Amino acid sequence: MTQQTKPPSRPADGPRRPAGWSEGFLRQRGGQGCPMCGNDFTADDIGWGILLHRGEVANAYLWRSGQVRGYCVLIHRGAPHVAEPTDLSDTHAAAYWADTLTLGKALTAFYQPVKLNYSTLGNVVPHLHTHIVPRYADDADPAPGGPLPWSALDTDRQGEAQLQADAVALRALLEHA
């Protein structure tokens, strides 16, 4: 007979700060001082990105930073603060992933990439959000056939005129989604 082991229980005073994670990160993960919660989710432009679509539980933004045309971030706008998809009820989780797929389908239709990358990380900003990045078959892709280095999404800025034109086209696609 195999003996089952119980997972270790959480200390009564809550989790201790793991090595390498700042106190600020843990506070933000709990919803205190989260920079994404401070966004005006009613605005058409949050500085980092241009609003494309208000989904059921998340907003889709065409991001200004990076070297990849069509780079978008989907941000959960719920109250209270949510850091992980597992923090959502089944209904809200389904809505979040539906919002994610709606954006992905619009990006695929407009940019016709070879592949889309979906990254739900939260290691720097612990607020539920997903980076959705078109990958291309030509020189427009900074790492063809491989994982994108973070610098491809974090350095440089998209051209504002192209960004605005793409936003208009993507909004039209998303209106009919």
Side-chain angles (χ1 to χ4, degrees):
M1 178 173 197
T2 312
Q3 187 177 25
Q4 292 184 348
T5 58
K6 288 175 87 173
S9 61
R10 179 178 289 174
D13 62 351
R16 292 197 173 93
R17 181 174 61 88
W21 298 93
S22 71
E23 290 290 340
F25 174 86
L26 293 177
R27 279 193 302 277
Q28 287 178 8
R29 190 186 186 298
Q32 297 174 12
C34 171
M36 281 198 188
C37 284
N39 285 327
D40 177 0
F41 290 116
T42 65
D44 290 338
D45 190 324
I46 59 170
W48 297 331
I50 301 168
L51 179 70
L52 297 175
H53 181 70
R54 287 182 181 88
E56 189 175 341
V57 298
N59 284 1
Y61 297 93
L62 186 58
W63 224 235
R64 285 194 164 88
S65 70
Q67 303 162 22
V68 181
R69 184 176 173 203
Y71 169 34
C72 289
V73 178
L74 185 84
I75 303 174
H76 187 272
R77 61 170 190 272
H81 168 84
V82 173
E84 299 289 340
T86 54
D87 294 339
L88 298 170
S89 69
D90 290 349
T91 301
H92 282 123
Y96 183 80
W97 297 117
D99 289 346
T100 304
L101 296 176
T102 296
L103 176 57
K105 288 174 185 176
L107 293 175
T108 298
F110 184 66
Y111 294 108
Q112 299 181 348
V114 172
K115 170 84 176 88
L116 286 179
N117 287 170
Y118 297 84
S119 297
T120 304
L121 303 170
N123 297 318
V124 175
V125 179
H127 181 107
L128 180 57
H129 65 288
T130 301
H131 302 261
I132 305 172
V133 186
R135 302 299 303 275
Y136 299 102
D138 57 20
D139 292 339
D141 195 298
L148 280 174
W150 183 249
S151 62
L153 302 178
D154 198 39
T155 59
D156 295 332
R157 287 180 70 86
Q158 304 290 318
E160 191 65 26
Q162 183 70 68
L163 194 77
Q164 293 290 340
D166 286 2
V168 168
L170 288 165
R171 281 188 197 118
L173 285 170
L174 287 160
E175 281 178 23
H176 305 299

